[in-house]
Amino acid sequence: MTGRQPSRLLMWFIGLLGVALFMLFLAWVTMQFQVKLHGMSLYRFHSKHFRFFLRINNSRPSEHQQSAKNKTDSADERELKSENGTKSDQTKSITNPLKPVVKPTEPDFFGDRYAKDDVPSQTNCPSNIRKRVPQTQFAQMFLHSIPVLQWAKHFTPEEYERLSHYSGAHGWGSVGAEVLKSSLGILNTSANQLMFDDWERRANRSECIRCAVVGNGGILNGSRKGKEIDEHDYVFRVNGAVLKGFEKDVGSRTSFYTFSTNTMRNSMRSYAGVGYRGPPISKETRYIFLPDHDRDYILMKAASTHTVIETGPERSKNPPTYFGKNVTAEKFKIYHPDFIRYLRNRFLHSHLLKTGARRIYRPSTGAVMLLAAIHTCDQVDAYGFMTPDYTLYSDHYYDKQRRTVHFYANHDMRMELKLWQKLHEAGLMNLFMR
């Protein structure tokens, strides 16, 4: 008995030691597994958190860009408010942290910053438009120093860099630097700088410059306004202005003819049947380009220097004769692209700018002509522009058969109609209505 007891105790001891070692092993394995589980759960948490962080940060640029787009759509309103001091500091502190993510070279689409010209008034008219503007709803829209016309001095490398961001009529983006430099270089006289370059030489000039601005609207048919129109100091006309046979209704004089090369050529094709052969030609007439493309600058240079156009839609073996064989550079003027963009941004900021037509939209050629007159004349009488009862009249005063007014995506004629009414009610122009 006594011999077996020590051996049993030894076996119990070995067994317990084995169990203890096994428990220790299990405890070690469990700890390792828990550590791995804990490490895995931390990794998953951090991954989930990181993915959430990425989603936030990936969504912010698009949100900011959308915000930037919305801000850009009302850029003129923002900058006008800023200039008027109506934007609160609290608003600034809220919007400043949300800076849109944009490319450093991406320009603002609207670009409500413009060159300045100090062109003195050519008269001392006591009741001119510029003096009446501050008492109207248009006081904050008007920039009295905006350059209406561009000429040789406006081309510089710095200005080309600034304006090349804007395309079409709103900038120089579609015009090569050499074309622009050589074309504007021709416009280097006072006749190219001033709208009314012959005013000081007129023997019968009055105290105020009175302008008749004549559109081609059907409202003029049968109006018998021709004599009244011709009695103004200057008469502005646009595009397919057919005069022969309609003198009693629209007059016979043309001081300024506003057009783009494209609209002029389209008018020559569309209205040849009613007598339109091209721009009016007279000793008095000046030609004001609304430059949409480089072809306008190229045509102006070729016509004024009597040289051929070697490339583009106007190319021919002979110099262009649209403006007469003896036309000189002093007869030509060109609207400044800042002026066109300013009109779009501040006066005709259409809902079309928020649609697919955003890139092609601009004020109509007639609208540019009328607003240019309002910015340069002392008194403006407008004839042949759209009025609220436009459906009563044909599209043009020279239509042989009645044609309804058509609307196109590149202009907002309804908005222009409303603007003419407001300018008339404000006393900044007199709109002919029947």
Side-chain angles (χ1 to χ4, degrees), residues 351-362:
H351 73 281
L352 293 172
L353 291 166
K354 297 180 181 179
T355 71
R358 168 186 172 105
R359 294 288 174 185
I360 64 172
Y361 169 75
R362 70 162 173 81

Side-chain angles (χ1 to χ4, degrees), residues 357-386:
R358 168 186 172 105
R359 294 288 174 185
I360 64 172
Y361 169 75
R362 70 162 173 81
S364 69
T365 310
V368 172
M369 173 182 69
L370 180 49
L371 288 165
I374 288 173
H375 279 74
T376 53
C377 303
D378 292 324
Q379 299 171 9
V380 171
D381 295 314
Y383 305 83
F385 284 84
M386 192 174 288

Side-chain angles (χ1 to χ4, degrees), residues 116-349:
K116 291 184 179 180
D117 262 0
D118 296 322
V119 178
S121 175
Q122 294 182 257
T123 70
N124 293 316
C125 181
S127 58
N128 69 24
I129 293 172
R130 288 174 292 282
K131 292 177 181 177
R132 295 199 298 272
V133 165
Q135 287 76 48
T136 71
Q137 68 188 88
F138 297 96
Q140 302 303 327
M141 291 185 185
F142 265 77
L143 292 179
H144 298 284
S145 61
I146 188 78
V148 177
L149 303 172
Q150 58 176 324
W151 50 287
K153 82 156 190 176
H154 289 112
F155 180 84
T156 65
E158 294 76 18
E159 279 297 272
Y160 185 75
E161 170 63 25
R162 178 178 71 87
L163 287 170
S164 62
H165 290 306
Y166 311 108
S167 60
H170 306 110
W172 290 338
S174 55
V175 189
E178 288 304 315
V179 169
L180 192 67
K181 183 178 180 180
S182 62
S183 298
L184 289 185
I186 294 172
L187 306 179
N188 56 12
T189 70
S190 59
N192 311 123
Q193 304 168 32
L194 299 173
M195 184 69 77
F196 312 109
D197 56 89
D198 66 338
W199 179 251
E200 283 72 20
R201 300 194 302 272
R202 289 196 173 194
N204 60 342
R205 66 179 182 271
S206 58
E207 188 178 23
C208 302
I209 296 177
R210 296 176 58 249
C211 299
V213 185
V214 187
N216 299 324
I219 191 174
L220 282 174
N221 190 293
S223 66
R224 297 297 185 264
K225 286 292 177 179
K227 185 175 182 296
E228 179 181 311
I229 288 171
D230 282 344
E231 288 174 347
H232 288 75
D233 296 311
Y234 296 95
V235 180
F236 289 71
R237 299 190 193 274
V238 65
N239 289 340
V242 181
L243 303 184
K244 188 175 181 180
F246 299 94
E247 292 87 351
K248 289 183 179 179
D249 291 336
V250 302
S252 59
R253 290 176 52 212
T254 303
S255 310
F256 301 104
Y257 175 73
T258 288
F259 66 104
S260 71
T261 303
N262 188 53
T263 59
M264 179 189 70
R265 288 174 62 87
N266 286 342
S267 295
M268 292 174 70
R269 287 191 293 267
S270 301
Y271 310 126
V274 292
Y276 182 78
R277 298 290 183 267
I281 298 174
S282 72
K283 182 179 179 181
E284 176 187 10
T285 306
R286 270 67 168 157
Y287 306 99
I288 312 179
F289 280 85
L290 196 169
D292 268 330
H293 308 284
D294 59 354
R295 62 193 295 202
D296 298 290
Y297 295 93
I298 293 170
L299 175 59
M300 187 279 299
K301 180 183 177 182
S304 60
T305 58
H306 302 281
T307 55
V308 300
I309 300 176
E310 297 179 351
T311 60
E314 284 71 51
R315 66 181 179 276
S316 66
K317 296 180 180 179
N318 301 310
T321 57
Y322 300 117
F323 317 101
K325 294 182 179 180
N326 300 318
V327 71
T328 63
E330 285 76 20
K331 285 267 193 172
F332 293 104
K333 306 177 195 291
I334 299 186
Y335 289 115
H336 198 294
D338 271 354
F339 182 67
I340 312 302
R341 202 171 67 260
Y342 154 78
L343 298 184
R344 180 199 67 183
N345 291 350
R346 299 196 173 202
F347 291 87
L348 292 167
H349 192 89

Side-chain angles (χ1 to χ4, degrees), residues 24-40:
L24 287 173
F25 174 78
L26 287 177
W28 179 81
V29 170
T30 301
M31 288 179 65
Q32 292 297 318
F33 185 69
Q34 286 178 346
V35 169
K36 288 182 179 180
L37 284 176
H38 181 63
M40 189 180 295

